[in-house]
Amino acid sequence: MKKAIVVGASSGIGRELAVILAKNGYKVGITGRRDQLLLNLQATMPESFVVSCFDVTDIKNVPACLQRLVDELGGLDLLVLSSGTGKINPALDTEIEQKTNAVNVTGFTAVADWAIKYFDAQEYGHFAAITSVAGIRGSRFAPAYNASKAYQVSYLEGLRQRAFHLKKPIHITDIRPGFVDTDMAAGNVFWMAPVDKAARQIFRAIENKRSVVYITNRWRLVAFLFRMVPGFLFKRM
């Protein structure tokens, strides 16, 4: 039985992905801040889930919490980082911006670094993280969110390069969703993907050890167009 951890499994994409992994033969460690939601999920398949409740922004405790989960699982083949936050913030409310950075930059880095060091020592493994199409360009509506996702995209590229030079079977998957029908979608309906469809596509990308995947695939076109828009035009959008 393969072993996986899903960080951010209490709701949304992380929860759906944890269910899919469990149904496909994985024993899954599920984490998040809301313990009751994790326990409710565990109750649906008690033999498949191990629960640990912690906050990724508490970076000093992240390594110990993840290691305890690995010990309970009896190993680790895959770690999926689905934890993230972001809000529309045209007024530049500092509290919103800093909270976004705390989760999407500081917390992300703590989990990613632990995972890569663990897989390096083990000499194999797979780290997958949910970033966003928003990481392609900046946004006047949510500056910190887009910037933090750009950080994640670049960080994963650096980790992929590092893994290649280690010459070990360590795989890095950058998952870039567009709008998915979760609480974070904030009412957007453009090319909205149902969360179960998004999770299924993510699972296939992980199984195929894809380096970068857009969810759904049509968002690859949006990413391409975003990159092509010159700066003097983009600032007018």
Side-chain angles (χ1 to χ4, degrees), residues 136-137 221-234:
I136 303 298
R137 300 294 290 261
L221 172 62
V222 175
F224 173 77
L225 293 175
F226 271 9
R227 289 192 185 97
M228 294 298 292
V229 177
F232 75 92
L233 288 179
F234 193 83

Side-chain angles (χ1 to χ4, degrees), residues 188-214:
N188 289 296
V189 294
F190 178 70
W191 280 353
M192 179 77 75
V195 67
D196 58 335
K197 178 180 180 180
R200 288 196 302 272
Q201 291 189 6
I202 291 168
F203 175 72
R204 286 198 296 271
I206 290 171
E207 289 291 283
N208 291 327
K209 295 180 172 56
R210 295 275 300 276
S211 294
V212 178
V213 60
Y214 290 87

Side-chain angles (χ1 to χ4, degrees), residues 6-16 30-43 50-57 82-87 99 103 182-184 195:
V6 179
V7 179
S10 56
S11 63
I13 294 173
R15 185 186 190 282
E16 290 298 319
I30 50 176
T31 82
R33 293 181 297 107
R34 294 170 289 182
D35 57 346
Q36 191 56 56
L37 293 179
L38 296 173
L39 292 170
N40 291 344
L41 176 56
Q42 184 188 42
V50 175
V51 172
S52 177
C53 183
F54 67 90
D55 189 334
V56 297
T57 64
S82 180
S83 181
T85 190
K87 291 184 179 180
K99 180 180 179 181
V103 176
T182 65
D183 291 342
M184 279 188 62
V195 67

Side-chain angles (χ1 to χ4, degrees), residues 110-123:
V111 174
D113 286 359
W114 180 90
I116 297 306
K117 290 175 184 177
Y118 180 89
F119 292 142
D120 187 6
Q122 180 173 262
E123 300 195 335

Side-chain angles (χ1 to χ4, degrees), residues 85-161:
T85 190
K87 291 184 179 180
I88 300 299
N89 187 27
L92 292 181
D93 183 315
T94 298
E95 184 176 349
I96 292 174
E97 300 295 89
Q98 295 300 341
K99 180 180 179 181
T100 300
N101 290 331
V103 176
N104 296 355
V105 176
T106 307
F108 170 91
T109 305
V111 174
D113 286 359
W114 180 90
I116 297 306
K117 290 175 184 177
Y118 180 89
F119 292 142
D120 187 6
Q122 180 173 262
E123 300 195 335
Y124 72 91
H126 192 164
F127 177 60
I130 296 176
T131 62
S132 175
V133 173
I136 303 298
R137 300 294 290 261
S139 169
R140 60 191 170 97
F141 298 108
Y145 179 74
N146 284 49
S148 67
K149 290 302 176 177
Y151 172 87
Q152 293 178 358
V153 167
S154 181
Y155 206 92
L156 291 172
E157 186 171 42
L159 294 180
R160 194 176 301 112
Q161 185 183 59

